Amino acid sequence: MLIGGFYSVDGALLAKPPVKEAFTLRLDADAEQYTRKIYTNNGRTASVYALQHCTKKMAGKKVLLPDYLCLSVISAIEWAGLPYDFYRVTRNLEIDLADLESKLDDTVGMLYIIHYFSVPQPASITAQLRKLAAARGLLIMEDITQALFSTSPVPAAPRTIGFGDYVVASTRKWFPMTDGGLCAINRTMTSDDAPTLPSLANAYDESVYQELLISVMRPLYDADPALEKETYLRCEKRANASRYVNLTPREMTAASRHIFFHTNAEMLMARRMENFRCLYDRLQQIPEITLLSKDIAPDGTQVPFGLTLLAEDRDELYQHLVDHNIIPEIQWVLPTDYYTPGEDARYLSNHNLMLQCDQRYGIQEMQDVAEVIARYYQKHP
């Protein structure tokens, strides 16, 4: 079987009735801060939706973005017609507050925050962000795509995640469905800030079709691991690119909503944490790699998106894994045509690989992944 890569649609879940019609954010401690949730077709259109929602407040303003990010984030800001600038992220995935504060002037209207690889930004940083936002009248958008099921430690003062005016995420990357994004709006955003909720376009577009093709292909590779994988990887690349041709916010498809609301979240979280622990314990014994992902908290407040490592020979390791039916991800190839990232962001981009440890797999698959990496470094010390 293949380990990693895009999900295929879970038809078994489609055959069952959904058990709910709303998604509970674990970061929402009182379950009332983010009562307005909009379910879109992907994470980037969720960001566009949020920016359309606050058009009045953002008039003449720009967004400050982290310099360690995916091109799709910039695409969403540009689609919404807003200017932007960048602040630096350190090599340990924390916001460089000194650099961020040096970029603040009267033209800044929003801070875009990413919580990387399931671990929220530290309390000392989030407290300062909230203070800056209050003093300067700034909006905060939190991207929780990599931390969808993470929450602040209890007790937490202040919250380390779930304090923004908007929370956005790509839910598709956590569930077996073709599409899915989430925009949650803080109740503090009054009608004076954003008079009306923008409308959503029809759910179906080219990206849904491309993802369905992946669902057709994926079982073939699971049944016969000897099949060449370049065709599959090209299909994944096309499917991913199709999501960003048009960033008009669309509805989540009915099928994806069905799966989203039916998935057993407790099982999902438990399996991911168990798989992560297996990978983490084994990989930290390999001296040639560095684990970028921080160890998850024992209290269950952090649910892994994946396990990310740093390797000096990243590209060779990537190909070795693909040759052994493991599809890792690079988070991310920085879009340097748009800006000049800091040294730390460049290093992270050039050396990282993310390994999937999601609910599709169990301990045996994680042990197999770790063994493939261990054998590689036995041959390439």
Side-chain angles (χ1 to χ4, degrees), residues 179-206:
D179 59 293
L182 171 67
C183 172
I185 305 173
N186 199 311
R187 65 186 177 194
T188 59
M189 289 293 292
T190 67
S191 58
D192 291 335
D193 298 319
T196 59
L197 289 174
S199 59
L200 293 172
N202 183 276
Y204 295 91
D205 66 352
E206 176 69 13

Side-chain angles (χ1 to χ4, degrees), residues 84-151:
Y84 51 88
D85 197 0
F86 297 87
Y87 62 84
R88 293 188 176 183
V89 173
T90 66
R91 196 172 295 193
N92 65 351
L93 301 173
E94 295 179 4
I95 294 169
D96 184 334
L97 277 176
D99 187 69
L100 183 149
E101 291 188 47
S102 73
K103 306 293 174 59
L104 293 178
D105 58 30
D106 291 342
T107 68
V108 176
M110 175 181 285
L111 304 178
Y112 191 103
I113 310 301
I114 297 177
H115 298 287
Y116 298 101
F117 306 119
S118 82
V119 179
Q121 292 290 324
S124 59
I125 289 177
T126 59
Q128 182 63 12
L129 292 174
R130 297 173 78 174
K131 186 182 299 184
L132 289 170
R136 292 176 169 269
L138 304 174
L139 297 174
I140 292 178
M141 187 184 297
E142 292 178 81
D143 187 329
I144 63 165
T145 293
Q146 297 184 349
L148 183 65
F149 287 95
S150 294
T151 186

Side-chain angles (χ1 to χ4, degrees), residues 307-322:
L307 187 147
T308 307
L309 58 85
L310 299 173
E312 294 299 322
D313 52 352
R314 189 271 307 280
D315 295 343
E316 291 83 359
L317 177 58
Y318 177 95
Q319 189 58 51
H320 175 78
L321 289 166
V322 170

Side-chain angles (χ1 to χ4, degrees), residues 225-243:
L227 288 176
E228 59 86 17
K229 288 170 283 297
E230 291 307 315
T231 299
Y232 175 81
L233 292 173
R234 284 196 298 272
C235 286
E236 279 208 350
K237 187 175 182 180
R238 283 200 301 270
N240 196 50
S242 69
R243 300 183 187 284

